[in-house]
Amino acid sequence: ALRHAFDAPDTATLDAAAVGALGDAWIERRLLLHPSTRLLPVRFNVAALWSALDAETEPPDPVAFAAPVSLLVWRGGQQPSFRSLSDAEADALVQFETGASFTDLSAYVIAAMGEAGAMEELAAWLGRWLADGVLVLAD
């Protein structure tokens, strides 16, 4: 997945500048995950292991999770990156695999967690996704 992220085609990502230029129109546009982006279910603490190896520190012992955890892998600039996701964030990103709009995602998340919690989560996720460059506008 890291190699795929590095070798994936260059595609313009949706970022804060693009959102600003589009105004409110972007929320109705279909969104997709950037071609470098993958959601992977992992059963071990691979994120902690890779982070330790990357930092050239002693890696932790492998630990098996009781249930799979979602790992997000993408290319930020020219550097493959990864991080673990909460189940809710992973479920949200899955919506973009089929081209949901941000309006569609908002309705989905509100139905799942209620309006108060959803608005806070959506704002945090969107800021992170735009900064990481994991979303693109569908044609």
Side-chain angles (χ1 to χ4, degrees):
L2 289 169
R3 184 173 34 248
H4 169 82
F6 183 79
D7 292 335
D10 291 329
T11 303
T13 60
L14 182 65
D15 59 15
V19 166
L22 290 167
D24 288 340
W26 77 272
I27 66 172
E28 296 297 335
R29 298 271 305 269
R30 288 177 8 117
L31 300 171
L32 297 169
L33 296 178
H34 186 273
S36 71
T37 304
R38 293 287 183 266
L39 293 168
L40 302 173
V42 295
R43 294 193 156 281
F44 291 88
N45 58 333
V46 295
L49 293 164
W50 274 104
S51 294
L53 292 171
D54 188 51
E56 297 182 3
T57 60
E58 185 68 28
D61 290 332
V63 174
F65 298 133
V69 171
S70 292
L71 191 67
L72 178 68
V73 179
W74 78 99
R75 182 181 66 226
Q78 296 301 316
Q79 182 65 38
S81 300
F82 59 90
R83 65 181 174 90
S84 297
L85 302 175
S86 68
D87 290 341
E89 185 179 7
D91 287 344
L93 283 170
V94 165
Q95 302 308 304
F96 296 130
E97 290 182 335
T98 58
S101 68
F102 193 74
T103 299
D104 298 332
L105 174 66
S106 297
Y108 176 83
V109 175
I110 289 169
M113 62 175 58
E115 191 166 350
M119 293 299 115
E120 205 170 293
E121 289 285 19
L122 285 165
W125 292 338
L126 180 61
R128 181 88 187 247
W129 298 337
L130 295 177
D132 288 344
V134 298
L135 299 176
V136 299
L137 290 170
D139 293 330

